[in-house]
Amino acid sequence: MQTVTGNRALMLEEPLLFEIGSTEQTGVDFPEFKANAGRLGDLERHRGIGLAGLSEPEAVRHYTRLSRQNYAIDLGLFPLGSCTMKHNPRLNEKVARLPGFADAHPLQPIDSVQGALELIDLVGNWLTTLTGMPAVAMSPKAGAHGELCGLLCIRAALEARGDAREVVLVPESAHGTNPATAAFAGYRVENIPANKAGRVDLEALKTRLGPDVAAVMITNPNTCGLFEPDMKAISDAVHAAGAFVYCDGANFNAIVGKVRPGDLGVDAMHINLHKTFSTPHGGGGPGAGPVVLSAALAPFAPLPFVEKQGDRFVLVEEETAEEHHAQSFGRMVAFHGQMGMFTRAASYMLSHGSDGLRQVAEDAVLNANYILRSLEDLLDAPFGPSGPCMHEALFSDRGFGEGLSTLDLAKALIDEGFHPMTMYFPLVVHGAMLVEPTETESRASLDQFIAAFRSIAERAKAGDERLKAAPVYAPRRRLDETLAARKPVLVYKDAEPAQAAE
Ligand SMILES: *Cc1c(COP(=O)(O)O)cnc(C)c1O
């Protein structure tokens, strides 16, 4: 039934700002404007800027209504695989808002931000300890940025020994950022195949290694949710060929406190603080992707970095003649990184302690296996038979009724009030469904999710055509996603165009 307003109970329709207000009206009453002689000459604007005028309550309602249309980790289970969408403890938020951290300015005198620098150093120490690596670059601002940092360190190390190499090897199952980063850093990307158990094919890798290979990028646990048991053998082979091992550490949540990547021969690994250490992510929110580095790469770390000199913390901003500052590959960011993410991560680390972090990994793996084992009688789990998974459970669309796809199942999950799982990734599995519950979900919430998932999977297998119409209860149904991606409408058509530069 269509309502007059378009609202559905308390789900409110929300028009665009331009449809609520108009460019002809303002939200505030100003006295009549007395034009003074302009002093801008030709630079003066002659037309309106095309913004709709809204009163304060109109503007507040607009954004509040939009915010209610968002699905968030604080609303329900967020099963996106490869994302570690765990609960963000409120304690983190409290700490991040302490004025000494929140109000610090990046250009403040170093003596006035000793506490902030100490906190960055503290988080860095936890990261090097947890990973068993000697050094860390704290400034990269996301996982992908950390990958770039790691590859630039590798390139600098190779250049320092006069060894120009051109190729970076990446497994088929890798996150898209891995090949993108390698290409961005100027390397040619080649794929390494996976074996039947969803792991890197060690023999194929060894065969490909040679004097043109600069690095191998490996994700461990990998994006099939599986631990790479041959990691040490891989590292040894890569090092013997004169190359470096980059590990994508986005899935560190599954092994934190259990495995130290440094012991596995990793040279560089980014850590998504916003995944493993529970800082908010998604929607373009700030992240942080510190990179831990081996002794071989540490000298090439980017500036700036925090260093303890006596009982004082300094921010090393420039290369100096001092040996360990001389070879930095340069600077990736204007300042030192995301202070708010560091404070949240520090709060998370200190409140869990080392034993608590180990339990995080254990519980995350337990929850993922609970999902895997609760669904594998119904859904094809291609790597299920090869043993337990790590932090995420992977299913394929095998056995779905004619014409039904992973997309249909995902849309039906929306009707059940869940954000869909990651779909069609990793690419090595047909119609992939990647579910990562994280450790912060209770048994009851997992059971509810499993019950919903099972009922939809049963309908998919029985060929229930009605799935193609899902979601039926959402304010918007099926969108033309291809059209939206190819021809996005980003400008309101009736808005007065901003004055073109002449
Ligand atoms: C999330 C993720 C990345 C990228 O991290 P961002 O912080 O989003 O840039 C890279 N690799 C894997 C496996 C990931 O899950």
Side-chain angles (χ1 to χ4, degrees):
M1 187 194 77
Q2 193 57 41
T3 54
V4 175
T5 50
N7 299 336
R8 295 163 73 98
L10 299 182
M11 272 309 287
L12 306 178
E13 261 305 315
E14 190 54 20
L16 298 175
L17 276 176
F18 299 104
E19 293 160 344
I20 306 170
S22 86
T23 52
E24 302 303 313
Q25 87 199 32
T26 76
V28 202
D29 293 327
F30 285 122
E32 196 60 41
F33 178 62
K34 246 201 292 113
N36 293 319
R39 281 185 280 168
L40 291 172
D42 283 354
L43 299 173
E44 199 171 314
R45 180 188 291 283
H46 296 294
R47 263 180 286 176
I49 52 172
L51 290 181
L54 264 65
S55 69
E56 181 169 320
E58 283 173 322
V60 168
R61 280 184 182 159
H62 175 71
Y63 289 106
T64 307
R65 284 175 177 164
L66 288 183
S67 77
R68 284 168 38 122
Q69 295 179 0
N70 227 352
Y71 191 85
I73 189 65
D74 292 341
L75 283 172
L77 188 144
F78 218 121
L80 276 182
S82 211
C83 289
T84 313
M85 301 294 292
K86 60 168 82 176
H87 171 65
N88 298 299
R90 290 302 174 270
L91 178 63
N92 297 0
E93 300 305 314
K94 188 171 176 185
V95 172
R97 282 164 178 71
L98 292 175
F101 296 129
D103 298 344
H105 190 281
L107 294 177
Q108 235 169 282
I110 291 301
D111 281 330
S112 69
V113 287
Q114 284 294 303
L117 296 186
E118 182 174 355
L119 183 132
I120 297 175
D121 189 62
L122 173 102
V123 173
N125 277 329
W126 273 80
L127 296 178
T128 51
T129 305
L130 287 167
T131 55
M133 305 278 279
V136 61
M138 295 297 289
S139 66
K141 299 204 179 201
H145 206 208
E147 292 171 26
L148 183 62
C149 171
L151 285 199
L152 292 179
C153 285
I154 289 171
R155 198 173 69 186
L158 287 168
E159 276 169 6
R161 69 176 197 222
D163 189 357
R165 293 175 175 231
E166 292 145 28
V167 176
V168 168
L169 302 180
V170 179
E172 282 173 334
S173 64
H175 193 273
T177 49
N178 290 192
T181 300
F184 192 72
Y187 289 105
R188 203 168 73 238
V189 180
E190 284 185 30
N191 268 338
I192 331 170
N195 62 23
K196 288 226 154 43
R199 272 81 172 185
V200 169
D201 184 333
L202 180 59
E203 288 316 309
L205 172 67
K206 280 185 177 166
T207 312
R208 179 58 192 84
L209 284 170
D212 58 338
V213 174
V216 176
M217 294 181 91
I218 293 195
T219 311
N220 199 12
N222 71 24
T223 47
C224 298
L226 304 170
F227 192 75
E228 293 282 357
D230 288 335
M231 194 69 199
K232 187 70 176 70
I234 291 172
S235 301
D236 289 345
V238 171
H239 290 151
F244 290 94
V245 178
Y246 186 89
C247 182
D248 179 329
N251 299 333
F252 194 47
N253 200 51
I255 56 171
V256 60
K258 306 288 282 185
V259 178
R260 300 192 312 166
D263 298 338
L264 303 177
V266 168
D267 289 296
M269 180 176 102
H270 74 262
I271 295 163
N272 306 60
L273 291 188
H274 47 290
K275 293 178 180 171
T276 309
F277 298 101
S278 86
T279 73
H281 58 300
V291 181
V292 286
L293 297 166
S294 65
L297 293 183
F300 306 97
L303 298 161
F305 50 83
V306 176
E307 201 171 76
K308 194 163 188 194
Q309 293 178 359
D311 54 5
R312 219 177 142 261
F313 291 92
V314 296
L315 198 57
V316 179
E317 295 265 14
E318 278 165 43
E319 290 180 36
T320 66
E322 255 183 276
E323 189 197 346
H324 62 298
H325 298 166
Q327 288 177 290
S328 166
F329 73 71
R331 184 184 271 266
M332 300 187 79
V333 297
F335 300 112
H336 52 61
Q338 311 276 29
M339 195 64 212
M341 299 298 109
F342 297 153
T343 46
R344 287 174 175 87
S347 156
Y348 184 81
M349 289 163 168
L350 294 176
S351 56
H352 278 72
S354 56
D355 55 336
L357 288 181
R358 188 178 316 121
Q359 195 185 336
V360 159
E362 289 170 356
D363 290 352
V365 171
L366 180 66
N367 277 0
N369 279 282
Y370 186 65
I371 294 217
L372 178 68
R373 298 308 176 208
S374 302
L375 292 171
E376 68 181 350
D377 62 314
L378 199 55
L379 286 170
D380 173 49
F383 306 119
S386 71
C389 61
M390 296 300 289
H391 56 300
E392 53 198 358
L394 179 58
F395 303 99
S396 87
D397 62 359
R398 215 173 84 191
F400 280 17
E402 184 69 23
L404 289 174
S405 66
T406 292
L407 182 73
D408 302 317
L409 189 145
K411 296 289 186 193
L413 264 181
I414 296 174
D415 276 338
E416 294 288 345
F418 288 108
H419 190 288
M421 66 288 154
T422 289
M423 318 183 274
Y424 301 107
F425 175 80
L427 305 176
V428 289
V429 166
H430 195 270
M433 290 173 272
L434 190 62
V435 180
E436 180 177 3
T438 82
E439 72 284 358
T440 54
E441 293 303 329
S442 67
R443 169 95 187 259
S445 82
L446 293 182
D447 283 339
Q448 197 186 34
F449 176 72
I450 289 165
F453 214 103
R454 283 192 72 87
S455 84
I456 301 166
E458 271 160 12
R459 291 169 63 195
K461 291 189 76 173
D464 182 349
E465 283 288 317
R466 286 171 310 167
L467 278 183
K468 291 203 132 331
V472 292
Y473 299 124
R476 292 292 178 276
R477 307 281 298 278
R478 293 250 176 155
L479 307 179
D480 187 339
E481 288 167 17
T482 313
L483 187 69
R486 290 272 162 81
K487 293 191 176 156
V489 180
L490 303 176
V491 179
Y492 181 61
K493 63 180 186 318
D494 287 338
E496 207 173 325
Q499 186 188 3
E502 270 143 31

